[in-house]
Amino acid sequence: IIEYFLGLKREADKLKFAPCIPKEWESFKIHYRYKSTIYHITVMQKDDGQEMKVIVDGVEQEAKMIVLTDDGGEHDAQVLLSNKALG
């Protein structure tokens, strides 16, 4: 259910996003543990019509996914979605 509804899909050391959330949800947070590392992920819907963006520690990820690292630290990530794309 989490994988489908919240749209999290882990493939090896990559975390991909394809949420199926209601337009009414402006945002939600996930605290995701990968081995000894914690990712604080905020997913936000925007009404700007732009395509999805994934930002990790302030750096936009061209591949639109999080490459997971086991560095024992904590990382902040934002996933910005266009709510127009969600229907």
Side-chain angles (χ1 to χ4, degrees), residues 23 37 48 56 75:
K23 279 185 166 184
T37 302
D48 59 8
V56 179
H75 300 276

Side-chain angles (χ1 to χ4, degrees), residues 1 14 26 41 43 48-49 59-60 64 66 70 79 83:
I1 291 174
K14 294 172 182 62
E26 291 181 16
I41 304 167
V43 178
D48 59 8
V59 178
E60 187 172 348
K64 298 180 182 8
I66 297 174
D70 184 20
V79 178
N83 65 10

Side-chain angles (χ1 to χ4, degrees), residues 11-24:
E11 295 177 4
D13 66 343
K14 294 172 182 62
L15 192 59
K16 297 180 178 185
F17 301 90
C20 294
I21 57 175
K23 279 185 166 184
E24 294 78 26

Side-chain angles (χ1 to χ4, degrees), residues 24-80:
E24 294 78 26
W25 284 25
E26 291 181 16
S27 66
F28 63 89
K29 279 192 166 195
I30 301 167
H31 302 286
Y32 186 86
R33 178 180 297 275
Y34 176 72
K35 300 182 181 182
S36 65
T37 302
I38 305 266
Y39 288 86
H40 304 286
I41 304 167
T42 303
V43 178
M44 296 179 280
Q45 293 192 75
K46 300 291 182 186
D47 208 7
D48 59 8
Q50 294 184 10
E51 61 183 83
M52 180 174 74
K53 290 183 183 179
V54 177
I55 301 166
V56 179
D57 295 331
V59 178
E60 187 172 348
Q61 306 299 298
E62 286 187 41
K64 298 180 182 8
M65 68 181 76
I66 297 174
V67 177
L68 301 167
T69 306
D70 184 20
D71 63 6
E74 294 191 23
H75 300 276
D76 290 310
Q78 293 84 38
V79 178
L80 308 173

